[in-house]
Amino acid sequence: MTPKVSVIVLTYNQEKLIGRTLDSIIAQECDFPFEIIVGEDCSTDGTLTVCREYEARYPGIIRLFANNPNKGLLDNYYDCLLEAKGEYIADCGGDDFWIDPLKLKKEADILDSDPGITIVHTAWQYYDEPTGTVSPSHTEEYHSKHLKPISPKGELFLPILTDTHAPLIHLCTAMYRRDAIMKCYNADTRLFRDKQFLCEDLQLTSSLSRDGKVAYIPDVTLSYSIGKPSVLSRGNLEKTWLFHTSTLKLLEYIRQQNDIPYSALATKYSDKLYYVLTQAFRLQDREKIDDTLELYKTTGTPKSIKARALEVLSSNDIVWKNALRLLKSLKPDGNE
């Protein structure tokens, strides 16, 4: 039977968590068939073994794609999308989990009700792995004016791009039309496949919000896992720098492709460029400083006084080193 919904699950080195994720999806109460597409990206722990066990237990639901060699986030996600058979697509991170057994049904009902809606999303919460405690995402606080039951076509396009808080649309809470995203994918495959773009969600949510209506359900359906090392971990400055510079490049590509005036994204560029400049400065990495300064030029973003100060301090290795020592003595935790 052809599934109505395909749920994409990407996983890498999540041996202890992937079972929880899959259980939360299998527990969905639906009056339609759905499939789970697992993109296992050449883990070095026992993640693949766990995934194979689940595929064997649920052969009519789970389809496992065991990558070898590792594909990386972008290719893993969009290869899974191309394999999807469902009319609608949802996804859940391999360390996150759904907490509402009616999530898929609620979202599918909304998409069924209005063909002009390209994506529907919900509220979510943080789940701290070490303590097991939950906390609100504050999405409603940050984005209250944008969280309408139905937002007209194009209304959320810029808000998604200019967002500086938690994402306006958390993709792991969402469901979207496969044909709508494939239309975008086929029109500009580079947007979804360029290796310099390290995230998969911004191009997807912005494209869908540009081309159709966005629906929102205020129910909390997702526990988003925190409290462990990740690509956004503050303890890993190099990966943090790489991720955010990649996002800036993606943002600039979207801006140019959609003829968005620079002024609409000026604040986002200024804030994020200064942030990545501080990461490069703390790393004492000349190449990363130069690359960040080049991004200032590429985007046409003027440097703030603080940014110019970091540029000057990093121009001399001895001054740079002493500045870092002073910074660490004032803030031993290393936070800016």
Side-chain angles (χ1 to χ4, degrees):
M1 186 178 297
T2 302
K4 184 183 185 73
V5 176
S6 297
V7 182
I8 295 173
V9 177
L10 304 188
T11 185
Y12 175 76
N13 284 356
Q14 293 163 333
E15 175 185 3
K16 296 180 179 179
L17 301 176
I18 185 62
R20 180 183 67 185
T21 301
L22 296 175
D23 285 338
S24 77
I25 302 170
I26 291 165
Q28 288 292 299
E29 300 172 8
C30 303
D31 55 4
F32 51 78
F34 65 89
E35 66 173 353
I36 304 172
I37 300 176
V38 180
E40 202 290 324
D41 210 17
C42 202
S43 297
T44 57
D45 62 2
T47 301
L48 179 57
T49 299
V50 175
C51 291
R52 282 177 171 157
E53 291 172 353
Y54 270 81
E55 183 183 41
R57 284 162 54 190
Y58 302 98
I61 298 177
I62 294 178
R63 288 199 289 147
L64 171 64
F65 293 89
N67 303 330
N68 191 4
N70 177 282
K71 290 183 177 181
L73 174 64
L74 214 61
D75 281 344
N76 194 14
Y77 188 89
Y78 288 105
D79 283 351
C80 285
L81 176 61
L82 293 180
E83 292 288 344
K85 298 177 180 177
E87 177 184 2
Y88 304 144
I89 308 295
D91 74 45
C92 189
D95 52 357
D96 305 323
F97 56 101
W98 292 342
I99 59 174
D100 184 345
L102 297 177
K103 175 194 182 293
L104 290 183
K105 185 178 187 327
K106 291 176 182 177
E107 293 179 325
D109 284 349
I110 287 177
L111 291 177
D112 285 344
S113 71
D114 185 346
I117 297 173
T118 52
I119 184 169
V120 52
H121 65 116
T122 78
W124 54 281
Q125 65 186 14
Y126 290 107
Y127 179 84
D128 186 79
E129 291 291 348
T131 65
T133 58
V134 298
S135 56
S137 66
H138 299 298
T139 299
E140 290 80 4
E141 177 183 339
Y142 296 142
H143 306 302
S144 58
K145 65 181 179 180
H146 300 305
L147 298 178
K148 305 174 184 177
I150 303 290
S151 294
K153 175 182 176 180
E155 185 175 279
L156 297 187
F157 181 50
L158 274 178
I160 287 171
L161 296 178
T162 58
D163 172 50
T164 56
H165 299 290
L168 199 164
I169 297 178
H170 194 311
L171 195 58
C172 289
T173 75
M175 182 184 289
Y176 57 92
R177 296 183 186 278
R178 186 181 187 277
D179 61 352
I181 199 59
M182 289 309 301
K183 181 179 180 180
C184 300
Y185 179 92
N186 291 328
D188 185 4
T189 303
R190 180 190 169 190
L191 174 63
F192 301 91
R193 290 288 192 170
D194 193 319
K195 296 297 191 297
Q196 68 176 325
F197 307 147
L198 298 181
C199 68
E200 86 292 1
D201 55 348
L202 179 60
Q203 53 271 65
L204 193 153
T205 57
S206 62
S207 296
L208 290 171
S209 66
R210 178 196 62 202
D211 294 349
K213 303 175 190 176
V214 176
Y216 175 70
I217 302 172
D219 303 342
V220 176
T221 67
L222 170 76
S223 279
Y224 177 67
S225 179
I226 58 172
K228 60 194 182 308
S230 73
V231 72
L232 297 178
S233 171
R234 290 186 180 183
N236 196 328
L237 299 180
E238 191 160 325
K239 286 186 177 179
T240 300
W241 180 89
L242 182 61
F243 178 83
H244 286 285
T245 52
S246 165
T247 303
L248 279 164
K249 292 174 183 177
L250 172 58
L251 191 62
E252 178 64 6
Y253 181 81
I254 293 172
R255 185 184 76 81
Q256 292 182 9
Q257 294 299 106
N258 291 274
D259 295 321
I260 300 170
Y262 170 81
S263 58
L265 297 171
T267 300
K268 176 76 172 276
Y269 280 137
S270 181
D271 291 350
K272 193 172 268 297
L273 277 167
Y274 176 68
Y275 176 73
V276 297
L277 187 62
T278 62
Q279 307 309 301
F281 186 83
R282 290 165 64 188
L283 283 164
Q284 203 169 358
D285 188 316
R286 169 67 55 198
E287 184 176 351
K288 286 182 172 56
I289 287 284
D290 291 342
D291 287 348
T292 305
L293 294 175
E294 184 60 32
L295 269 174
Y296 271 98
K297 293 180 182 178
T298 300
T299 60
T301 303
K303 301 185 193 77
S304 65
I305 294 175
K306 289 183 178 180
R308 290 186 180 279
L310 291 181
E311 182 180 14
V312 171
L313 289 171
S314 62
S315 64
N316 181 286
D317 289 341
I318 295 176
V319 173
W320 192 352
K321 189 173 183 178
N322 287 333
L324 284 172
R325 285 177 178 171
L326 178 60
L327 179 64
K328 289 178 180 179
S329 69
L330 294 174
K331 298 185 178 181
D333 63 357
N335 290 330
E336 292 298 326

